[in-house]
């Protein structure tokens, strides 16, 4: 619980509506106060029903508590997207929409046996690096998105209705999840076909099961999008 220290603060410095915080011990209400940000102080608190305001901080944390006390549900959403053990995954399919000949699927029977398929030519690749496949599946152990932007349903529909560059499908014992990778245009310039000319090279939108949209970094996900050639040699 953050310690509240008295400060000569009056309510005129409060710049926003604040966040109402109630702390319970069992069913007993122990603390009832509001946290506000201001221009003159990093973060101030006001006990419910009182006039005296306090500067609020936690010892050893050199940032404003107001940056962490948010009532926006998106702020608290867990950004960890993948936390699979290799043996959890039955199959991974990567479809490259711009270069479909680089699309592939990996199948895993849970007993350290794998199959690799060229999904463009509908053929099984029999000569592949077994260790490279195992290593690839470990990449799904811990990958996070950057954030879940606060988009309206209309804005999400616009994204889902646009062209995507990759489709990643992951099958486990209990689920099958799809992830669509959408480029983010950096300006309004379009080519002769109506497509954006310039894209963000760092970030992209990730459509999750055609329901949710996350903002993600290419540097975290590029390693999942390699083509099948990466697994037919002894190096990855």
């Amino acid at each position: 619980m953050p310690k509240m220290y008295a400060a000569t603060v009056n309510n005129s410095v409060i710049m926003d509506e604040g966040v109402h915080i109630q702390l319970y011990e069992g069913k007993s209400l122990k603390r009832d106060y509001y946290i506000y940000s201001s221009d003159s102080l990093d973060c101030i608190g006001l006990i419910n029903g009182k006039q005296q305001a306090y500067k609020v901080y936690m010892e050893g944390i050199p940032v404003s508590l107001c940056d962490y006390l948010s009532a926006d549900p998106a702020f608290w959403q867990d950004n960890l997207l993948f936390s699979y053990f290799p043996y959890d995954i039955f199959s991974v399919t990567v479809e490259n929409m711009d270069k479909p000949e680089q699309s592939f699927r990996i199948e895993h029977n849970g007993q350290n046996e794998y199959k690799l398929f060229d999904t463009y030519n509908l053929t099984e690749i029999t000569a592949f690096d077994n260790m490279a496949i195992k290593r690839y599946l470990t990449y799904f152990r811990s990958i996070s998105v950057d954030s879940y932007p606060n988009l309206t349903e209309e804005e999400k529909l616009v994204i889902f209705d646009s062209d995507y560059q990759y489709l990643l499908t992951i099958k486990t014992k209990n689920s099958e999840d799809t992830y669509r990778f959408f480029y983010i245009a950096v300006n309004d310039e379009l080519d002769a076909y109506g497509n954006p000319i310039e894209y963000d090279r760092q970030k992209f939108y990730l459509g999750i099961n055609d329901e949710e949209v996350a903002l993600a970094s290419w540097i975290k996900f590029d390693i999942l999008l390699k083509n099948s050639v990466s697994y037919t040699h002894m190096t990855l």
Side-chain angles (χ1 to χ4, degrees):
M1 180 185 302
K3 293 182 179 179
M4 303 181 71
Y5 294 87
T8 54
V9 177
N10 62 51
N11 292 353
S12 64
V13 302
I14 297 172
M15 303 301 293
D16 61 20
E17 296 181 355
V19 177
H20 187 193
I21 298 174
Q22 293 180 310
L23 301 178
Y24 286 84
E25 184 176 314
K27 295 182 178 181
S28 176
L29 179 63
K30 295 297 184 180
R31 295 287 188 274
D32 187 0
Y33 58 95
Y34 291 83
I35 296 294
Y36 302 87
S37 60
S38 74
D39 288 340
S40 57
L41 290 173
D42 285 341
C43 195
I44 60 177
L46 184 65
I47 295 175
N48 197 13
K50 303 292 184 180
Q51 295 298 316
Q52 176 63 57
Y54 297 83
K55 182 177 179 179
V56 182
Y57 64 93
M58 291 185 70
E59 292 179 345
I61 300 179
V63 296
S64 171
L65 279 181
C66 289
D67 292 339
Y68 293 95
L69 298 173
S70 172
D72 180 1
F75 179 88
W76 299 101
Q77 192 162 358
D78 188 357
N79 290 345
L80 182 63
L81 184 68
F82 298 139
S83 58
Y84 297 113
F85 288 102
Y87 54 77
D88 291 331
I89 299 173
F90 284 8
S91 70
V92 174
T93 304
V94 175
E95 297 179 52
N96 186 326
M97 314 314 292
D98 293 334
K99 298 178 180 179
E101 68 278 4
Q102 295 185 0
S103 302
F104 67 93
R105 182 175 72 256
I106 293 171
E107 293 183 358
H108 177 216
N109 71 352
Q111 302 296 326
N112 288 323
E113 295 181 6
Y114 306 91
K115 290 184 178 181
L116 179 63
F117 295 88
D118 174 348
T119 57
Y120 179 70
N121 292 303
L122 302 178
T123 57
E124 181 177 354
I125 300 171
T126 56
F128 61 88
D129 181 356
N130 201 59
M131 287 303 298
I133 295 291
K134 290 182 179 181
R135 193 177 307 120
Y136 174 80
L137 294 178
T138 66
Y139 299 151
F140 292 89
R141 185 69 190 98
S142 180
I143 294 183
S144 300
V145 297
D146 296 347
S147 64
Y148 289 85
N150 188 20
L151 302 174
T152 65
E153 290 302 316
E154 290 75 15
E155 289 171 326
K156 291 179 184 180
L157 285 175
V158 169
I159 294 173
F160 283 124
D161 285 343
S162 61
D163 294 333
Y164 54 91
Q165 283 59 53
Y166 296 93
L167 174 61
L168 174 66
T169 304
I170 302 174
K171 288 185 179 181
T172 66
K173 180 179 180 179
N174 300 315
S175 66
E176 177 176 343
D177 298 305
T178 59
Y179 305 88
R180 302 180 193 273
F181 295 65
F182 298 91
Y183 287 149
I184 299 176
V186 298
N187 55 48
D188 295 329
E189 295 184 45
L190 304 177
D191 61 20
Y193 300 98
N195 299 312
I197 294 176
E198 190 174 355
Y199 296 96
D200 191 324
R201 296 181 180 274
Q202 305 297 324
K203 307 288 185 180
F204 67 95
Y205 284 132
L206 184 67
I208 304 171
N209 290 329
D210 293 333
E211 296 174 355
E212 191 56 81
V213 176
L215 182 66
S217 298
W218 284 112
I219 194 171
K220 295 180 182 179
F221 286 82
D222 274 342
I223 199 166
L224 305 180
L225 305 174
K226 292 175 176 286
N227 61 56
S228 59
V229 174
S230 302
Y231 311 107
T232 57
H233 297 81
M234 294 308 294
T235 57
L236 182 59

